[in-house]
Amino acid sequence: MKKLIPFVILFALCAILLKEVYFTNKAELPSALVGQPVPAFVLYDVKRPGIKFTEKTLANGKNVTLLNVWATWCSACAAEHNMLLKIAKDYRIPIYSIDYKDDRDAAVKWLQTAGDPFVLTGNDDKGNTGIDLGVYGTPETFIISKKGNIVYRHVGMIDQQSWDEILYPLIKHLNGAT
Amino acid sequence: MKFWMVIFLVIAIPCYAASDLHPFSNPIEEQRYQSLIQEVRCVVCQGQSIAESNAPLANDLRDKIAFYIKDGKPDAEIKSYLVKRYGEFILYKPRVTGATLFLWFFPILAVFFSLSLIAKQLIKKTNT
């Protein structure tokens, strides 16, 4: 019986290896900021440049919000746009966004033609706020708690399945329902 | 002969392109820059360091690193800046902290453990 131990260890290591190689999305990074407050930033709304948008905007204490990072050059962002409209209108979750390394005029035109699901859209044309958030692949969506802490980061477009299975339950939980 | 010299010179040009974009006032800073950008993983093109990658984020991070070196920030602080935003994974050599202790020491411990098992077996065999 004792002779089997090395084989058990080997089997366990192989199982871990198999899981990491075939069942892990290795390209996806967990956010280093989960559990921390949204890093300080100052951006101006793309549509109304006099309106300021900072991390304090997301810490209103009243509702859980989403922070979506997108750009007009990002095709996956265009693909998830209708889902964001649905989240804003049907599920009534406030979505703030950051227009990352983008052309402001193109962004405004896009929001006018495709619809605007966002409460505010900060103009991050230099990409500094994106770097402070650890953005590496748009679209990215952060779930922000009422106090302004980053609870979760979703990389890639949001579809109905990821919304139903991961994001919406988490938001409902944070809002106080169970 | 001249033909090959031209070819080699042309091939050599891109190797200097990266340092030309961030002229440093002293060679120590240049050296730190070259060394740091090879230690930082490009999280967009994950097979490359940011020295090799042309992804927009890699370009932005190289700019940031050059800026902070010129601003007088030490290497440790620049690494902390990156890890704070992207996690330990962004460094090819993750720093030795409580979380990464297992990563660093497991291989050598595993080898040591296996060798001691083999040694035990050999001793048993020679004693019978």
Side-chain angles (χ1 to χ4, degrees):
Chain A
M1 201 49 210
K2 219 171 130 185
K3 284 193 181 172
L4 286 178
I5 293 181
F7 291 101
V8 172
I9 297 178
L10 180 64
F11 182 77
L13 287 175
C14 283
I16 296 173
L17 181 67
L18 199 75
K19 189 227 166 224
E20 289 297 315
V21 170
Y22 290 111
F23 296 104
T24 299
N25 187 356
K26 241 328 184 225
E28 203 178 291
L29 296 186
S31 168
L33 297 169
V34 167
Q36 295 183 33
V38 174
F41 64 88
V42 178
L43 296 175
Y44 294 91
D45 184 64
V46 289
K47 282 156 92 170
R48 298 150 293 175
I51 309 278
K52 201 157 74 164
F53 173 29
T54 73
E55 79 283 3
K56 298 201 180 74
T57 316
L58 300 167
N60 59 26
K62 275 181 281 169
N63 15 50
V64 173
T65 55
L66 291 177
L67 180 62
N68 179 262
V69 181
W70 63 279
T72 56
W73 44 260
C74 157
S75 53
C77 304
E80 85 172 346
H81 199 74
N82 284 335
M83 187 66 207
L84 293 178
L85 285 166
K86 192 171 174 187
I87 293 172
K89 300 211 169 103
D90 298 344
Y91 293 91
R92 281 186 272 159
I93 308 293
I95 313 178
Y96 292 80
S97 79
I98 289 177
D99 185 29
Y100 175 68
K101 290 184 67 88
D102 204 359
D103 174 63
R104 195 188 133 234
D105 292 331
V108 173
K109 272 209 194 81
W110 164 250
L111 291 176
Q112 279 168 350
T113 49
D116 189 357
F118 308 121
V119 178
L120 287 176
T121 298
N123 181 7
D124 187 24
D125 57 349
K126 303 246 169 50
N128 288 321
T129 303
I131 289 183
D132 285 340
L133 286 166
V135 169
Y136 69 101
T138 47
E140 291 188 17
T141 305
F142 297 84
I143 298 182
I144 314 288
S145 73
K146 296 180 196 181
K147 290 204 198 126
N149 290 331
I150 293 178
V151 174
Y152 181 76
R153 165 173 74 180
H154 180 90
V155 177
M157 56 172 279
I158 299 178
D159 56 11
Q160 191 68 47
Q161 187 186 5
S162 48
W163 176 251
D164 288 336
E165 288 176 10
I166 306 173
L167 297 168
Y168 193 39
L170 186 47
I171 294 172
K172 280 193 286 191
H173 172 71
L174 292 167
N175 262 327
T178 28
Chain B
M1 182 60 196
K2 259 200 205 166
F3 168 76
W4 288 110
M5 274 175 61
V6 171
I7 295 292
F8 287 136
L9 281 173
V10 167
I11 293 173
I13 289 171
C15 302
Y16 290 96
S19 61
D20 278 348
L21 292 172
H22 297 116
F24 288 94
S25 53
N26 72 62
I28 297 181
E29 286 186 353
E30 167 79 43
Q31 178 56 38
R32 281 177 57 203
Y33 172 74
Q34 292 298 338
S35 164
L36 266 177
I37 62 176
Q38 308 230 11
E39 287 176 46
V40 176
R41 185 191 310 268
C42 174
V43 285
V44 178
C45 301
Q46 285 178 17
Q48 302 176 306
S49 66
I50 60 172
E52 302 158 321
S53 169
N54 231 339
L57 182 61
N59 293 333
D60 287 349
L61 290 181
R62 285 204 310 273
D63 288 345
K64 286 269 179 205
I65 292 176
F67 174 77
Y68 284 128
I69 290 179
K70 289 183 198 164
D71 202 34
K73 301 267 183 282
D75 283 4
E77 204 177 313
I78 295 177
K79 286 185 188 176
S80 288
Y81 170 89
L82 293 170
V83 170
K84 177 168 184 201
R85 289 154 177 78
Y86 292 96
E88 290 286 348
F89 183 68
I90 200 173
L91 297 175
Y92 275 121
K93 284 191 227 151
R95 301 166 313 173
V96 184
T97 64
T100 59
L101 225 50
F102 183 73
L103 176 68
W104 278 106
F105 290 108
F106 178 72
I108 193 78
L109 285 177
V111 169
F112 184 71
F113 181 64
S114 317
L115 283 177
S116 62
L117 277 182
I118 295 172
K120 251 196 346 194
Q121 291 290 75
L122 283 176
I123 292 172
K124 251 202 244 172
K125 278 218 170 112
T126 53
N127 280 343
T128 47

